[in-house]
Amino acid sequence: MRRVFAVLLLPAALCAAAGCRYVTLDRATPQADAITDMHWLMFWVLGAVFALVLAALAIAVSRRSRAPIAGGKDPRFFAVAAATGVTCAILLLLLVASVVTGRAVSTPPEANALDIAITGHQWWWEVRYPAAVADDEVLTANEIHVPVGRSVRLHLASTDVIHSFWAPNLNGKKDLIPGRSTGMTFRVLRAGTYEGRCAEFCGYQHAHMGFRVVAEPPSEFEAWLESQRLPAAEPGDAARVHGHEVFLAGPCVNCHAIRGAGAFGRKGPDLTHLASRSTIAAATLPNTTGHLAGWIADSQRIKPGNRMPPNVLPSGDLLDLVAYLRSLR
Amino acid sequence: MSSPARTDPRESERPTAASEKECAELAHTWRERTGTLGLLFSVDHKTIAKRYIVTAFVFFLLGGLEAAAMRLQLARPEGRFLNPDLYDQVFTMHGTTMMFFFAVPVMLGIGLYLVPLMVGTRNVPFPRLNAVGYWFYLAGGLLLYGTFFANRGPDAGWFAYVPLSGNAYSSGHGMDAWVQIINFTEVSALIVAGSLIVTAFKQRAPGMSLDRIPLFVWAILVTMIMIVFAMPAVIFAAGSLNSDRSLGTHFFNPAEGGDALLWQHAFWFFGHPEVYIIFLPALGMVSSILSAACRRPIFGYTAMVLALVATAFLGFGLWVHHMFAVGLPQMGEAFFTAASMMIAIPTGVQFFCWIATLWGSRPRFEPPLVFVLGFFFTFLIGGLTGVMLASVPVDLQVHDTYFVVAHFHYVLIGGALFPLFGGIYHWFPKVTGRLLNRTLGFWNFALLFVGFNLTFFPMHELGFHGMPRRIYTYGPDKGWNGLNLAASIGAAILGVAVLLFLINVVHSLRHGARAGDDPWGAESLEWATSSPPPVYNFARIPIVASRSPLWDPEGLGAVTGLPTDKRLLLVSDPLDAEPSHREEVPGPSVNPFLISVTMSLGLIGSVFWLWWAVIGAVASAPMAFLWYWTEEDR
Amino acid sequence: MRRRLPRAAAMPLLFAGALVLVLSVFSIVGCQKMQRRLHESTPATALPAWSPGSQLHAGVQPTPLPVKNPYEGSSYAMSEGQRLFEWYNCAGCHFRGGGGIGPALMDRVWIYGDDPASLYSTIVGGRPNGMPAWRGKIPDYQVWQLVTYVEAMRAGRGIAAPPGPRQEHLQAGEGKISR
């Protein structure tokens, strides 16, 4: 079966060669694999149907002779009946393939699956790695690290409106619905960084609600998890100390938390290890000094309508604040 | 240039002709009020239908402008044409306008015009109620565009998912107006549905048994029955949302025991049949156009009728395919996968029967046929991508991406708009007495076809490239730039195509070639009277002896002896159309307009101040009283 | 010969005319009302840090500063104010307007003044008996959004949407379990 599907991958190969970025067909998990195979099956079968029907139409329209209908059953009756029968057979085939694929996609996770709780907010992703001991829990935002080869079980929830978690390379999407718990399982086979985004209209900045999934070898993943458990790095020099003071004195503490640094806000993303993330603003901007400064100064210009207010700071304060935040690895 | 198949018969040669004296009496009995004020008194189904169609086209143009704004914004990454607030309003207005204010009303209007003519009767059975339907529709449109032009339009999508569309996340009049317009548009649809169902069942010309009803009338009849079942669902949903927003109930508030998914189920239980409500009349139009172009009856009448009924029936069992990502049990989802795939079978049967009709028929290539061929191509693609979407795993990848946008535009524009344009080219001569220009018609088609495919085909790819729906902008590094630009260019071409259509209509109204009774040589009864038909439709009610009454070698019979001094409708048996009795119907009246004004004021006002609902209700009571005051129009 | 408008054109023209008229009216009316300003800068406040708690003054009466709520009547500002009321934990003392540790905000007892300017300086400058000063912690425009919401809480103020329970307190994972 898989070899048959492999043949069907030819267009995908051509596409990849041509530089297409068919993200949804560029699979990194067995789940995405199964979906892509199903897609190509449908593409070819239905493509053939399309070609046949159009050919029949073209012939019908261009035939010159008007055959008289002799006695007995109109031959067109048999043609229509046969075509209907073929249609039913094709649809049945596709139905069976779809159900089989569906079951393959939703295989239950293995016993040692990694649980990750993801909560959707307008317009960012809260990521939590639950642990038996409260101190071992990891809280971060917009970037999810997973170990390669191990099942990951996502627990999805929302605190405000309906969002949808979608990392095309990894699996289909699943909605985050307030008042309900949904979930998704996948197992990444290939290390790399995968893009994801919200896929259910959730308000003004639905367009800028992305995330990253970083799949890394298990040892690197464990190291990352350990480092995320640590409290925030102490400010190393005078500028960063001043930056820390700016953080505590201003409105930042109302919404953001930095564990071990006196900030406990839970309304915005946790910033304890901000500098360890590759993007900011829900994967809208790269995590660099310039972008971070611009975001703090006036996030509304970048993501108008988002929940973070602009902050008019003297330039010295802003630079020190950014220096401090960039040190929170 | 092909000449019309049948030259314009003189009045006396027409099969349903009557003496001049009779015609004059009929014209007097069925007359409408003249003058500008008289426009408020209209009860003729043709006048009201034309209003529906023209108003729907105005909304089509407005919706098209909204689409143009979106394509302008999305032509380049990080465009600055529309900020997110405005973009959200624009895409909500586009969807709401096209679905509620264009697609359904235009089909209602065409059905309202043609069904009484096709079944051989003079008017719908409830003429004044029919007028209310139009005024309600108009009022809803004014409410919606009023809030939009005040920069406070609805902005939670045409589907208005809760909790985003609830009070907490969409405060203000925009969404309040949105939930109100549902009442207007759906009540007007229910009114037309009621009228046409009764017309089709009880007012058919003698001899038009169930198996002789034109396929277009079957399509409309089935659609109207779908309306009766689907519209109450959305009225319930919108009413509950209205109640949550205005009265503090918690239907959709999970914090207090409600359920956000309840909205999705209720809305899509309406929403899926809604697209079949738009689509089925178009299928009827295709049948009419094809039989005229091929000069043959459509092959497989019984199969075609059963296919229409099956599509309607199955259409109510598909709605969960809009919700495959919410985490429903697999077994349930598989049921809806099966149903969503199964609905391709009756549509397939229709396709095969049409191809069989065309086979060897040497069709005449006039604009209506060319639009129908465009329908075949585009709807086929849309239907096949629909089968792809029916599969849950594939849907979970492309749900809420531009792949779905491509799919539904292919089935809606391909499946409804192309036949609609074909239908307009086909019936324009009947409605106005003039033919639309043929050359402009071909250009119209060509630009529409090219523009449409250039706009929407790249969107299939965009979906696979990961572009979600309803985003006001995108980053330059995602790889979506070229395809979006292509789509925007296609949209510009589409705009030119529509402009060409408007030019054709305006030009042909004044300078088009005069059409006779039956320029296409078609088979159904509307072609048995003059173009445009007189206000009383037929001088004598025809008698029908076959499925293609105008192709009968024996010609058309006519009913004689009916009085011409009263507004009488001939009522017949639903199965065999045996005449049973005569029904008198009322004449022009301003009461429908008056009661629409009071009720609309009540509903529109309640968006701003709840007590307007009471004021409107209280004001409507005397209007209703006035309506029922028996007053014969002599 | 005088050309009369064909009857068929009358209805569409009337309709188009009515549409243009109504939409023009709405456009003019809507220009000002309920603007939803997504991008707010933080202007310097024009109010002093403190406004008098009573009308009694020694000496000459100072002229009151006429400061209007820039978001008066804006339902967006009201709903943002509702959100911020939760976020900044105003509900911690004032509960949902009924009061608890802090005074009720839904009644008519306003010892520090109930006009928008007084509400603003209450939030920004704090008050005796426990109201903290939020200057520097809450941007100006958000203070005005809170003022709009607090005003809406009082009966008789015609703001678009009535406040409803928010779902901020909804625990993730509560409720029905789906697949």
Side-chain angles (χ1 to χ4, degrees):
Chain A
M1 216 27 182
R2 292 201 58 82
R3 262 165 299 195
V4 172
F5 285 162
V7 166
L8 302 177
L9 291 178
L10 190 57
L14 289 173
C15 253
C20 293
R21 292 184 57 211
Y22 272 28
V23 180
T24 50
L25 304 179
D26 179 22
R27 44 276 187 72
T29 61
Q31 285 82 9
D33 243 355
I35 296 175
T36 305
D37 290 343
M38 178 74 204
H39 159 73
W40 286 120
L41 172 69
M42 296 187 96
F43 177 84
W44 284 116
V45 169
L46 297 173
V49 167
F50 175 71
L52 284 172
V53 173
L54 268 195
L57 181 65
I59 298 173
V61 162
S62 56
R63 257 175 82 97
R64 286 285 128 212
S65 64
R66 192 170 182 144
I69 294 163
K73 203 78 178 169
D74 190 335
R76 295 179 292 171
F77 171 80
F78 298 106
V80 170
T84 309
V86 169
T87 306
C88 293
I90 291 176
L91 290 174
L92 194 59
L93 164 78
L94 293 176
L95 173 65
V96 169
S98 170
V99 174
V100 166
T101 309
R103 291 173 71 88
V105 166
S106 22
T107 44
E110 288 118 41
N112 69 336
L114 174 69
D115 283 303
I116 307 178
I118 298 187
T119 305
H121 299 262
Q122 277 179 320
W123 293 281
W124 60 282
W125 305 89
E126 178 187 325
V127 179
R128 188 167 61 88
Y129 291 76
V133 179
D135 280 343
D136 286 348
E137 229 179 57
V138 167
L139 191 62
T140 180
N142 302 321
E143 190 168 291
I144 304 164
H145 285 240
V146 296
V148 171
R150 186 170 154 204
S151 272
V152 172
R153 180 169 39 207
L154 298 179
H155 302 264
L156 305 170
S158 166
T159 56
D160 40 34
V161 297
I162 299 180
H163 301 277
S164 192
F165 183 91
W166 187 37
N169 299 93
L170 304 184
N171 203 348
K173 56 185 64 74
K174 193 52 64 97
D175 285 358
L176 289 72
I177 302 172
R180 282 181 176 263
S181 292
T182 48
M184 182 197 297
T185 305
F186 56 81
R187 182 164 57 91
V188 187
L189 299 175
R190 204 173 76 208
T193 303
Y194 302 103
E195 280 183 24
R197 53 191 64 99
C198 177
E200 183 60 63
F201 179 61
C202 51
Y204 293 132
Q205 288 302 328
H206 167 63
H208 289 132
M209 186 174 164
F211 59 90
R212 292 278 183 273
V213 178
V214 177
E216 47 198 2
S219 53
E220 286 180 35
F221 169 73
E222 289 301 329
W224 175 85
L225 208 56
E226 259 314 305
S227 73
Q228 292 285 317
R229 289 187 178 122
L230 298 170
E234 290 293 324
D237 59 24
R240 291 186 199 146
V241 168
H242 181 229
H244 182 204
E245 286 162 8
V246 170
F247 187 91
L248 291 176
C252 318
V253 290
N254 277 343
C255 300
H256 291 288
I258 300 182
R259 267 180 303 115
F264 306 97
R266 297 289 278 218
K267 298 300 178 185
D270 187 289
L271 301 180
T272 310
H273 297 281
L274 175 63
S276 69
R277 309 205 272 259
S278 56
T279 61
I280 56 171
T284 307
L285 298 170
N287 191 355
T288 67
T289 305
H291 283 116
L292 189 57
W295 174 256
I296 294 170
D298 197 351
S299 60
Q300 293 291 328
R301 264 205 205 284
I302 302 163
K303 262 171 97 160
N306 91 84
R307 301 289 186 221
M308 175 152 159
N311 296 288
V312 176
L313 293 170
S315 58
D317 283 0
L318 179 62
L319 289 174
D320 289 344
L321 175 61
V322 170
Y324 172 62
L325 291 172
R326 292 282 301 152
S327 75
L328 296 176
R329 237 163 267 291
Chain B
M1 157 99 183
S2 62
S3 53
R6 194 187 283 195
T7 49
D8 185 9
R10 280 174 306 162
E11 175 67 44
S12 54
E13 288 169 6
R14 197 174 285 130
T16 53
S19 69
E20 252 188 61
K21 179 166 165 296
E22 251 185 276
C23 289
E25 276 178 13
L26 279 170
H28 178 78
T29 308
W30 289 90
R31 74 191 182 286
E32 296 262 87
R33 285 270 203 126
T34 53
T36 315
L37 208 58
L39 294 169
L40 301 177
F41 283 69
S42 251
V43 291
D44 177 33
H45 74 99
K46 298 185 289 299
T47 312
I48 295 172
K50 280 188 286 190
R51 284 177 192 170
Y52 267 106
I53 296 170
V54 169
T55 311
F57 264 95
V58 170
F59 285 118
F60 175 63
L61 293 174
L62 288 169
L65 287 174
E66 284 140 16
M70 287 194 284
R71 280 321 318 167
L72 258 175
Q73 165 68 9
L74 293 174
R76 297 171 321 136
E78 293 176 349
R80 299 248 166 219
F81 181 59
L82 295 172
N83 68 27
D85 180 28
L86 206 48
Y87 186 87
D88 292 349
Q89 287 185 56
V90 168
F91 85 69
T92 304
M93 292 297 293
H94 173 73
T96 308
T97 304
M98 289 304 198
M99 294 299 280
F100 290 117
F101 287 94
F102 164 64
V104 171
V106 84
M107 298 302 179
L108 294 177
I110 293 186
L112 190 58
Y113 193 99
L114 290 172
V115 167
L117 283 166
M118 280 190 181
V119 301
T121 187
R122 297 197 189 284
N123 202 351
V124 291
F126 317 114
R128 289 181 298 181
L129 183 64
N130 207 10
V132 172
Y134 174 74
W135 298 119
F136 250 40
Y137 162 55
L138 183 63
L142 291 175
L143 170 63
L144 181 70
Y145 274 86
T147 56
F148 180 52
F149 272 70
N151 194 23
R152 207 67 280 135
D155 60 357
W158 87 278
F159 50 95
Y161 276 4
V162 294
L164 184 64
S165 59
N167 233 349
Y169 300 98
S170 286
S171 60
H173 296 321
M175 287 313 291
D176 290 326
W178 186 90
V179 294
Q180 283 298 352
I181 55 132
I182 304 286
N183 293 325
F184 288 105
T185 50
E186 311 313 22
V187 167
S188 99
L190 282 168
I191 287 173
V192 176
S195 304
L196 290 184
I197 292 174
V198 176
T199 308
F201 274 134
K202 295 288 287 182
Q203 286 174 225
R204 301 199 302 276
M208 189 183 278
S209 52
L210 275 182
D211 62 340
R212 289 179 185 161
I213 301 180
L215 285 171
F216 178 79
V217 176
W218 270 115
I220 295 286
L221 176 61
V222 166
T223 306
M224 297 299 131
I225 296 177
M226 288 185 80
I227 287 179
V228 168
F229 283 97
M231 298 318 188
V234 73
I235 294 177
F236 155 73
S240 307
L241 182 59
N242 198 1
S243 173
D244 267 20
R245 289 180 62 92
S246 313
L247 304 174
T249 54
H250 301 296
F251 289 105
F252 305 119
N253 182 2
E256 301 287 339
D259 190 346
L261 277 193
L262 175 64
W263 168 266
Q264 294 192 27
H265 281 291
F267 183 80
W268 288 119
F269 184 79
F270 146 80
H272 194 82
E274 157 93 341
V275 305
Y276 286 101
I277 288 167
I278 296 168
F279 175 54
L280 287 186
L283 297 181
M285 287 191 242
V286 170
S287 293
S288 297
I289 295 169
L290 269 185
S291 71
C294 302
R295 298 174 308 287
R296 277 178 164 182
I298 299 288
F299 178 81
Y301 179 89
T302 312
M304 293 288 286
V305 173
L306 290 176
L308 284 168
V309 173
T311 307
F313 189 71
L314 280 173
F316 278 92
L318 304 187
W319 81 92
V320 174
H321 70 220
H322 299 270
M323 298 164 61
F324 278 153
V326 306
L328 297 169
Q330 265 197 337
M331 181 59 86
E333 289 180 346
F335 172 84
F336 286 95
T337 299
S340 306
M341 289 187 176
M342 216 155 77
I343 203 161
I345 300 173
T347 316
V349 166
Q350 298 215 313
F351 258 66
F352 304 140
C353 289
W354 285 322
I355 294 177
T357 310
L358 278 165
W359 197 276
S361 66
R362 279 176 298 140
R364 274 199 321 251
F365 274 83
E366 299 287 329
L369 176 69
V370 166
F371 277 103
V372 164
L373 294 177
F375 150 78
F376 276 118
F377 181 89
T378 41
F379 181 75
L380 189 56
I381 295 179
L384 295 174
T385 54
V387 173
M388 290 177 77
L389 287 167
S391 157
V392 175
V394 175
D395 182 74
L396 285 180
Q397 279 285 25
V398 292
H399 167 66
D400 243 307
T401 66
Y402 267 76
F403 185 86
V404 177
V405 176
H407 159 71
F408 68 69
H409 281 94
Y410 265 84
V411 289
L412 281 175
I413 298 188
L417 195 74
F418 273 88
L420 176 68
F421 272 71
I424 291 177
Y425 277 84
H426 185 68
W427 279 297
F428 190 87
K430 175 53 58 181
V431 175
T432 62
R434 293 183 185 270
L435 287 156
L436 280 168
N437 184 292
R438 196 167 175 264
T439 313
L440 274 179
F442 286 129
W443 276 104
N444 186 1
F445 167 77
L447 285 174
L448 193 68
F449 187 80
V450 167
F452 168 76
N453 280 293
L454 184 59
T455 308
F456 292 102
F457 199 83
M459 293 188 184
H460 292 113
E461 275 201 64
L462 276 172
F464 279 108
H465 281 299
M467 183 171 179
R469 290 173 74 174
R470 301 158 186 155
I471 54 174
Y472 75 99
T473 189
Y474 53 94
D477 54 342
K478 298 258 190 293
W480 302 337
N481 305 6
L483 292 169
N484 269 297
L485 186 60
S488 297
I489 294 174
I493 300 177
L494 260 181
V496 174
V498 172
L499 190 64
L500 212 56
F501 171 74
L502 286 176
I503 292 174
N504 199 354
V505 166
V506 168
H507 173 87
S508 304
L509 276 173
R510 288 177 164 265
H511 307 295
R514 291 243 176 237
D517 281 13
D518 191 3
W520 313 115
E523 61 177 348
S524 41
L525 279 181
E526 77 271 25
W527 305 102
T529 185
S530 64
S531 301
V535 69
Y536 47 86
N537 289 354
F538 301 95
R540 295 229 174 108
I541 304 292
I543 298 177
V544 156
S546 76
R547 238 170 243 168
S548 310
L550 266 62
W551 292 346
D552 248 347
E554 291 111 48
L556 215 52
V559 174
T560 55
L562 288 173
T564 52
D565 59 340
K566 289 199 223 184
R567 289 175 175 252
L568 291 174
L569 295 177
L570 188 63
V571 178
S572 54
D573 169 65
L575 288 181
D576 289 317
E578 288 283 326
S580 72
H581 62 276
R582 299 170 298 201
E583 187 79 27
E584 187 169 354
V585 289
S589 159
V590 77
N591 294 317
F593 177 73
L594 290 176
I595 203 172
S596 307
V597 166
T598 54
M599 289 177 76
S600 302
L601 271 177
L603 282 175
I604 295 176
S606 71
V607 169
F608 301 95
W609 185 43
L610 272 181
W611 280 101
W612 270 106
V614 176
I615 296 173
V618 165
S620 300
M623 300 305 160
F625 185 70
L626 269 178
W627 182 319
Y628 286 110
W629 192 285
T630 310
E631 186 212 333
E632 292 307 288
D633 207 13
R634 296 270 171 241
Chain C
M1 193 172 93
R2 214 172 112 244
R3 284 260 289 247
R4 290 193 69 233
L5 202 59
R7 188 193 162 79
M11 188 63 215
L13 281 177
L14 251 189
F15 164 65
L19 192 69
V20 168
L21 186 68
V22 169
L23 294 179
S24 316
V25 168
F26 274 115
S27 308
I28 294 165
V29 164
C31 260
Q32 288 305 318
K33 215 143 175 12
M34 291 196 281
Q35 282 297 326
R36 190 168 291 194
R37 297 200 287 272
L38 293 186
H39 174 216
E40 288 295 352
S41 50
T42 46
T45 175
L47 267 189
W50 171 89
S51 75
S54 90
Q55 296 304 314
L56 295 176
H57 291 272
V60 178
Q61 285 278 9
T63 44
L65 289 156
V67 179
K68 263 179 43 85
N69 178 357
Y71 295 129
E72 176 110 29
S74 164
S75 50
Y76 176 66
M78 192 222 66
S79 78
E80 284 293 280
Q82 186 181 28
R83 172 179 69 84
L84 295 168
F85 197 85
E86 288 289 311
W87 277 38
Y88 295 139
N89 202 29
C90 314
C93 291
H94 296 285
F95 289 34
R96 290 190 184 272
I101 307 166
L105 300 177
M106 281 205 240
D107 60 13
R108 298 194 188 274
V109 177
W110 289 88
I111 58 177
Y112 299 119
D114 65 352
D115 55 291
S118 299
L119 289 175
Y120 176 92
S121 42
T122 298
I123 297 173
V124 155
R127 294 291 184 194
N129 295 316
M131 174 67 190
W134 292 96
R135 170 176 293 101
K137 289 284 198 232
I138 301 182
D140 255 7
Y141 76 94
Q142 288 189 341
V143 175
W144 286 116
Q145 287 172 343
L146 282 163
V147 167
T148 312
Y149 175 61
V150 167
E151 288 190 311
M153 269 202 258
R154 284 181 286 152
R157 303 287 287 204
I159 297 261
R166 290 192 66 98
Q167 295 160 5
E168 300 286 345
H169 64 284
L170 183 68
Q171 297 299 318
E174 227 174 66
K176 303 173 190 55
I177 309 290
S178 303
R179 182 166 57 91

